[in-house]
Amino acid sequence: MRAIFKNLLFILVAMPILTLTSCKDDDEPCTESTWYQDSDGDGLGNPDVSVSACEQPDGYVSNDDDDDDTGSTGALDCTEYTGYDLVECLANSFLGTLSSSQLDEAQLTYSVSTAQEWSNLPVGNVPRPGIGLEDLSTTQLAAAKALLVAASGETENEGYDEMMQTLNADDYLNNVGGNGYGSGLYYLAILGTPSSSGTWEVMFGGHHYAFGNTYTDGELVAGTPSFRGIEPFGTFTWDGESNQPLNQEQEAFAALLQSFSDSELATAKLSGSWSDILGGPGEDDNFPSTYSGIKVSALSDSQKELVKTAIKTYVLDITDADAVLIYETYVDELDETYVAYSGTTGVETVGDYVRIDGPSVWIEYSVQNGIILSDPHPHSVWRDKGNDYGGN
Amino acid sequence: MEATKLKKAILLNCMLLVSSLMFAHPLPSTKVNLKIKNELIYGIATMPVHELETATKRELDSNNLDLSFLREYFQKHIQASSPNQTWEVKINSIDSFKEDDGEQGGHHGVIEFLTIDFELSPSKGDLTEPFVFDFDAITHEVVTHDVEIFQISESNDDLEKKKLGEITLNIQSGVFDPVEIKLDGPIQKTQTIALKPVDESITDPKTISNKMLSYIGIGTFLVLGLFGIFRSRKK
């Protein structure tokens, strides 16, 4: 009787333990998540179609940001292309990752009036054409950046590198309380249809960057107008990385001006003070009718090299192969080009201004008051007289 | 009433400042508001202090403005001229303030402004004769600065603004083209009456009130009379 009672007690104690142990083995602890269907493969989920599961099911994503889960044809494989063909393929690839409603934002009819809608003001003041980077999925953002790399080139601290550092600066501003700034508030638009016939443009811009490559019949016909500014000025750290997007420009101008003798400086000096550039947004085809400053033909060979170095810091903001052709034109016209300045030769204090003005090239660099920060910040523009927007 | 007008004027100035910030980055243009009142043209010019410092080549301490210098400076740099009369400029007051446009959707932080309150008086009193307005307090030195000129008018209790012109660099020629200003005359109060009565005498307020009193008196008399008749019949 006593043994029976003991066995019974053992069974009563052991059974729950065994039961619990076996349950633990069969049902791994699992936190279910909601997954949203991504039938168009754009990386954005349909908020109306979802499942709960521990693991991500095929064809589903974790976000529900897709208002229109149709239309995307997916990214293209552009690995076999180079040069213009690569840009065209990547533009179509980017468009292919977008849903139909996103396409309506990102792809616009090509017109000069739309291309002229660039600005140096925050997007809260002047909205930009195109789709914001903040509205793109990881897949779409990768496609957008691949296109921008191909269109702007990979020279260190120029082109795409300079562009992304400028976006980092806006994130920096946002982090110190600058509302309305941030890398997500940059917009990419494809004006027209990327094709080897006809005209189309890659237009990218936000607060301190305006990029516009115009292509006609399979060739780049313009990389201008091209605006850039930077705040914070100089070197700053963002996300553990050092950024100095416009240092090369500032250093090139300072080296050029500081190579001038007193008499050369006197010739190059503009009358009056300059607190901004002349060729900003809305000032298309509006250049001085006469040259000011010192003619490059009057400079020594080493000084001419410094002028060329300064020009390169702008021209290299587009794909290198295209940059070479434009650069050669500017070099051919170098002796007819003028350098003018105002302020100091350091080109880093408020009121400092430099201009390179030739038959084709127009570059301005102006150091201005800080907006969010107390330190100065520069604005700069590269234009091509008669050929901005491809001469259209 | 005056307090209400003052509030409206301040609000209007704020609106003008915000709009200028939107279109002139990083520093706003000078705004000049002109208003005809009591046979004079009153002006209020608002400009960013930093641009003025660049133009004057001296630091301006907003807490301790050198008013004698500024008064003399603006006397030189605000001028009006027209073919048929000479114009006198009188600087009334100079003040400064700081504006943070962040609360109003802007992105530029705190900016310091200087305001100049002045009068323009034409020798023959013709306020509406077109005149060349030369306001070069900043633009004589800072070639990238602009001056926007507005007329402020009072209509009933509303303040209206109308852009009259802009002093801006002609990039091609490299000079500031002169800006001719043509002010609208003051709005007459009778113009605000939409319907003109046939009987001219009715426009006299005394006549209107006398007639109204007569109608009220007659009406009261009739009501009381009818009431008396009704009561006597009941008895």
Side-chain angles (χ1 to χ4, degrees):
Chain A
M1 188 69 188
R2 208 179 164 102
I4 292 168
F5 179 75
K6 272 186 176 177
N7 285 337
L8 198 61
L9 190 66
F10 173 78
I11 289 165
L12 283 171
V13 172
M15 275 296 284
I17 293 170
L18 282 169
T19 307
L20 284 171
T21 309
S22 64
C23 280
K24 196 177 177 185
D25 285 341
D26 289 347
D27 301 326
E28 277 293 321
C30 152
T31 306
E32 288 192 344
S33 299
T34 306
W35 304 95
Y36 301 90
Q37 190 176 47
D38 176 23
S39 57
D40 61 4
D42 62 2
L44 301 174
N46 182 347
D48 298 328
V49 183
S50 63
V51 295
S52 291
C54 296
E55 300 290 332
Q56 181 175 2
D58 285 344
Y60 284 77
V61 292
S62 60
N63 69 75
D64 63 347
D65 296 336
D66 202 345
D67 296 331
D68 178 7
D69 196 28
T70 60
S72 168
T73 55
L76 302 174
D77 179 4
C78 300
T79 50
E80 65 180 282
Y81 296 107
T82 58
Y84 165 80
D85 294 334
L86 177 62
V87 176
E88 182 189 311
C89 179
L90 288 170
N92 283 317
S93 177
F94 166 65
L95 295 173
T97 64
L98 303 178
S99 66
S100 55
S101 60
Q102 287 178 311
L103 265 178
D104 290 343
E105 287 182 76
Q107 188 170 28
L108 306 167
T109 303
Y110 176 81
S111 73
V112 175
S113 60
T114 306
Q116 288 173 321
E117 291 179 24
W118 61 276
S119 178
N120 58 274
L121 290 169
V123 294
N125 297 111
V126 179
R128 309 299 201 274
I131 188 164
L133 298 189
E134 66 180 359
D135 296 324
L136 299 179
S137 68
T138 308
T139 306
Q140 293 166 336
L141 189 60
K145 289 188 171 180
L147 169 61
L148 291 172
V149 169
S152 62
E154 298 181 76
T155 306
E156 188 179 2
N157 270 342
E158 304 294 351
Y160 180 76
D161 193 9
E162 180 178 299
M163 187 188 283
M164 289 302 116
Q165 290 184 44
T166 306
L167 269 61
N168 289 343
D170 269 26
D171 282 333
Y172 183 100
L173 290 183
N174 182 270
N175 195 44
V176 296
N179 293 325
Y181 298 99
S183 58
L185 296 172
Y186 279 75
Y187 291 76
L188 177 59
I190 306 296
L191 309 186
T193 302
S195 162
S196 57
S197 64
T199 295
W200 65 281
E201 179 179 330
V202 178
M203 185 178 184
F204 178 72
H207 169 223
H208 263 160
Y209 211 96
F211 175 90
N213 273 10
T214 308
Y215 301 93
T216 298
D217 297 337
E219 286 184 358
L220 180 106
V221 291
T224 55
S226 181
F227 173 89
R228 75 270 353 249
I230 194 71
E231 188 178 19
F233 187 24
T235 303
F236 65 96
T237 301
W238 179 252
D239 209 13
E241 298 282 330
S242 178
N243 295 263
Q244 52 281 316
L246 290 189
N247 280 20
Q248 290 185 174
E249 285 77 354
Q250 179 266 326
E251 287 164 4
F253 286 127
L256 171 61
L257 294 180
Q258 288 167 7
S259 78
F260 288 178
S261 66
D262 288 347
S263 64
E264 287 168 340
L265 280 174
T267 307
K269 187 110 180 175
L270 291 162
S271 60
S273 301
W274 301 70
S275 59
D276 207 347
I277 54 175
L278 295 181
E283 298 294 349
D284 297 317
D285 286 327
N286 200 8
F287 304 98
S289 54
T290 56
Y291 291 111
S292 297
I294 189 165
K295 201 171 184 181
V296 174
S297 61
L299 300 176
S300 67
D301 287 347
S302 61
Q303 288 173 318
K304 287 179 183 176
E305 287 303 315
L306 293 174
V307 178
K308 287 157 70 176
T309 300
I311 292 173
K312 272 185 194 169
T313 63
Y314 289 82
V315 179
L316 285 174
D317 288 340
I318 59 171
T319 315
D320 298 359
D322 293 322
V324 167
L325 298 174
I326 295 170
Y327 177 70
E328 282 174 355
T329 302
Y330 296 165
V331 170
D332 288 345
E333 298 172 345
L334 199 63
D335 280 346
E336 301 303 315
T337 299
Y338 287 72
V339 176
Y341 85 106
S342 179
T344 72
T345 58
V347 202
E348 56 188 352
T349 55
V350 173
D352 289 351
Y353 171 86
V354 193
R355 177 198 301 169
I356 295 177
D357 180 10
S360 300
V361 67
W362 173 269
I363 292 170
E364 288 178 285
Y365 187 97
S366 162
V367 184
Q368 316 177 354
N369 280 304
I371 302 298
I372 301 299
L373 307 170
S374 57
D375 290 336
H377 84 290
H379 278 189
S380 190
V381 73
W382 165 34
R383 283 181 176 271
D384 194 308
K385 295 177 179 177
N387 197 46
D388 282 346
Y389 313 105
N392 295 309
Chain B
M1 186 64 182
E2 286 305 313
T4 309
K5 281 183 181 175
L6 185 63
K7 280 180 187 170
K8 282 185 179 175
I10 291 168
L11 185 66
L12 191 68
N13 270 329
C14 287
M15 287 163 62
L16 294 176
L17 283 173
V18 170
S19 68
S20 74
L21 288 166
M22 286 172 69
F23 295 105
H25 180 72
L27 286 169
S29 57
T30 293
K31 298 280 184 186
V32 180
N33 295 335
L34 300 175
K35 180 181 169 184
I36 290 180
K37 190 178 179 185
N38 300 335
E39 308 303 319
L40 287 174
I41 297 170
Y42 287 88
I44 297 176
T46 307
M47 66 204 75
V49 165
H50 187 271
E51 296 277 79
L52 187 62
E53 287 178 327
T54 305
T56 58
K57 299 187 190 305
R58 60 190 286 173
E59 207 167 308
L60 300 171
D61 180 1
S62 58
N63 296 319
N64 186 23
L65 290 173
D66 185 347
L67 293 177
S68 63
F69 163 75
L70 288 171
R71 196 174 288 275
E72 190 179 337
Y73 181 81
F74 282 104
Q75 195 72 53
K76 281 183 198 164
H77 291 285
I78 304 176
Q79 291 176 6
S81 58
S82 64
N84 299 321
Q85 53 190 345
T86 57
W87 293 72
E88 191 181 322
V89 179
K90 183 182 169 194
I91 307 297
N92 287 330
S93 62
I94 299 170
D95 209 346
S96 69
F97 67 95
K98 288 183 178 178
E99 176 87 5
D100 184 343
D101 71 331
E103 291 178 10
Q104 299 180 59
H107 301 267
H108 301 82
V110 175
I111 299 172
E112 197 167 16
F113 294 92
L114 196 83
T115 56
I116 312 299
D117 193 329
F118 62 95
E119 293 171 14
L120 300 175
S121 53
S123 58
K124 293 183 181 173
D126 184 357
L127 302 174
T128 56
E129 182 190 4
F131 63 96
V132 173
F133 187 51
D134 189 7
F135 190 106
D136 68 345
I138 293 176
T139 56
H140 79 280
E141 170 62 26
V142 184
V143 294
T144 48
H145 192 77
D146 301 323
V147 181
E148 293 178 86
I149 302 150
F150 300 87
Q151 177 169 9
I152 304 296
S153 306
E154 281 180 40
S155 169
N156 298 325
D157 274 347
D158 295 326
L159 287 174
E160 293 175 358
K161 72 156 188 176
K162 174 185 167 188
K163 189 166 181 178
L164 300 174
E166 185 168 353
I167 300 171
T168 188
L169 181 74
N170 180 328
I171 291 174
Q172 292 177 25
S173 68
V175 299
F176 286 87
D177 295 327
V179 169
E180 189 174 76
I181 297 299
K182 169 82 174 77
L183 289 170
D184 294 331
I187 297 168
Q188 302 299 317
K189 284 191 176 177
T190 49
Q191 288 177 314
T192 60
I193 297 170
L195 297 173
K196 189 177 180 183
V198 177
D199 180 3
E200 292 293 332
S201 65
I202 204 165
T203 57
D204 180 3
K206 277 187 181 172
T207 311
I208 295 170
S209 57
N210 286 343
K211 284 190 176 180
M212 282 183 74
L213 282 173
S214 303
Y215 294 143
I216 290 166
I218 292 165
T220 309
F221 178 78
L222 285 173
V223 169
L224 287 173
L226 287 169
F227 184 69
I229 293 166
F230 179 72
R231 283 196 65 170
S232 62
R233 276 197 169 186
K234 251 193 161 183
K235 282 177 182 175

